[in-house]
Amino acid sequence: MHTKDKILVIGSSGQIGTELVHKLRDIYGVDNVIASDIKASNQAKEGPFEVANVMDAHQLGEVVTRHNVNQVYLLAALLSATAEKMPKLGWELNMQGLFNVLDLAKEKIIDRIYWPSSIAVFGPNTPRENTPQYTIMEPSTVYGISKQAGERWCEYYFHKYNVDVRSLRYPGLIGWQSAPGGGTTDYAVHIFHEALRTGTYECFLSENTTLPMMYMPDAIKATIEIMQADADKVKIRSSYNLAGVSFSPKEIAEEIKKHIPDFSISYKPDSRQQIADSWPQSIDASEASKDWGWKPDYDLKRMTDDMMQNLKK
Ligand code: VAH
């Protein structure tokens, strides 16, 4: 790692990127973390920002060399529900974006990459309880197919070209600092905003749809921990299972009612229900705990308390 790391966050205006940029700037200094997204953003007021299209290898290379970047966090992607509406763009963006960044490391222009996978790599015939690191993976969404293929390519570039790429299979992520990005788990963010705004929420998943979830501070912690881990501790170079807390819409609604007693929820499942039904209900993250000490800080109660406290401000 360079004595002075210069970090580029691609997809910096998204749900994860917004919080990740803040955290990375706290650690590395504002001027050493370049935010970048496909269109201009208010982030430009907070520190270095570049408008760039991750699918344009030339433009990406120009940004990387101009800022002397040595580490890239590649967050740009079409998520599950959006990619089902635009399959071709979903595949092209998720894959070409990854190849463009992997090739920068293959050519030794950068020396470390973070690339997120997802529990979406698992499919309808994957064991759904405590899904293991190694198991059947037949994803049935464009997003999941692109993440499974991406994992294979990350491992290939590590073994074939010694590219130091690290990856986590994120569960559904919940935070208060940014809007969710068009996924199937977005209900778990919307529910808080609607509970505070109107006292009611119509959920697009059925009440007992249990999914693996995680509070954003835990996801950001895991992302930075795996990127800062010694290379020899990162034994899995496809992507690590990561687990926070699993819950259903009914369970999170009960937790919110402890803060807003007359909050009411109704259920109107839409096309995202069959995506959710193809995913695991809980994840076994023991490899991440064993290899680089992963441990979540937030359970459902602590997450809900923190979300309500911050959204009420
Ligand atoms: C999505 N939030 O819903 C993302 C994530 C596991 C879910 O990949 O597509």
Side-chain angles (χ1 to χ4, degrees):
M1 211 140 62
H2 294 210
T3 47
K4 202 117 187 70
D5 287 321
K6 290 284 270 192
I7 294 169
L8 174 64
V9 179
I10 301 170
S12 61
S13 309
Q15 183 192 14
I16 301 167
T18 305
E19 290 202 41
L20 183 64
V21 166
H22 289 149
K23 191 74 189 155
L24 288 171
R25 283 178 170 165
D26 289 347
I27 298 169
Y28 293 93
V30 172
D31 294 339
N32 295 316
V33 180
I34 294 90
S36 175
D37 212 297
I38 185 90
K39 55 185 191 306
S41 138
N42 287 341
Q43 275 182 322
K45 296 189 191 110
E46 298 165 6
F49 182 90
E50 294 282 354
V51 174
N53 180 348
V54 72
M55 291 169 76
D56 179 339
H58 175 73
Q59 188 184 32
L60 179 66
E62 200 276 326
V63 169
V64 162
T65 41
R66 181 149 41 85
H67 289 276
N68 191 25
V69 167
N70 70 306
Q71 290 190 12
V72 172
Y73 289 72
L74 170 54
L75 304 176
L78 288 197
L79 297 187
S80 58
T82 310
E84 287 308 296
K85 293 182 199 131
M86 298 180 269
K88 202 130 170 30
L89 176 61
W91 174 256
E92 280 164 7
L93 167 57
N94 295 5
M95 298 315 296
Q96 198 52 54
L98 175 59
F99 282 123
N100 288 347
V101 175
L102 285 172
D103 286 339
L104 286 173
K106 180 182 166 202
E107 288 140 35
K108 306 293 172 229
I109 296 167
I110 61 176
D111 59 33
R112 196 169 295 195
I113 300 169
Y114 176 76
W115 174 77
S117 182
S118 161
I119 60 148
V121 295
F122 300 118
N125 48 25
T126 303
R128 299 191 76 193
E129 292 301 329
N130 245 351
T131 301
Q133 176 72 39
Y134 302 105
T135 184
I136 300 162
M137 296 165 80
E138 295 182 349
S140 51
T141 62
V142 170
Y143 175 68
I145 294 165
S146 76
K147 289 301 183 182
Q148 184 186 30
E151 290 190 6
R152 300 289 89 238
W153 279 109
C154 287
E155 194 179 70
Y156 182 87
Y157 268 68
F158 173 73
H159 289 302
K160 188 102 174 174
Y161 309 119
N162 200 24
V163 165
D164 187 357
V165 51
R166 294 123 187 262
S167 181
L168 301 171
R169 289 170 180 162
Y170 286 138
L173 301 183
I174 294 140
W176 53 272
Q177 296 185 49
S178 56
T184 300
T185 58
D186 293 2
Y187 88 87
V189 178
H190 297 321
I191 190 170
F192 284 98
H193 293 277
E194 290 306 296
L196 286 164
R197 197 171 64 86
T198 67
T200 63
Y201 178 61
E202 184 179 84
C203 185
F204 57 71
L205 296 182
S206 63
E207 65 177 328
N208 295 317
T209 307
T210 298
L211 287 170
M213 300 282 197
M214 178 173 282
Y215 196 32
M216 189 63 79
D218 269 338
I220 300 295
K221 180 179 93 167
T223 304
I224 293 173
E225 278 179 357
I226 193 170
M227 270 296 264
Q228 292 185 336
D230 293 342
D232 57 355
K233 289 206 169 44
V234 185
K235 299 183 179 8
I236 294 175
R237 293 293 180 152
S238 49
S239 188
Y240 276 91
N241 274 8
L242 192 70
V245 54
S246 287
F247 56 78
S248 66
K250 185 163 183 267
E251 288 167 323
I252 193 169
E254 289 310 311
E255 206 55 44
I256 288 172
K257 279 182 191 155
K258 294 176 186 170
H259 296 261
I260 307 175
D262 49 8
F263 168 62
S264 70
I265 183 168
S266 58
Y267 300 96
K268 196 176 173 206
D270 67 13
S271 61
R272 288 167 282 195
Q273 183 65 47
Q274 64 252 32
I275 296 176
D277 289 343
S278 74
W279 289 349
Q281 293 185 323
S282 60
I283 299 288
D284 172 359
S286 45
E287 303 287 336
S289 306
K290 182 164 60 72
D291 291 357
W292 44 276
W294 168 246
K295 192 181 68 58
D297 293 327
Y298 287 84
D299 60 12
L300 179 57
K301 179 187 181 316
R302 190 169 175 219
M303 177 186 82
T304 305
D305 293 350
D306 199 65
M307 282 289 281
M308 295 308 272
Q309 193 186 341
N310 282 290
L311 288 173
K312 277 178 179 165
K313 280 179 195 162

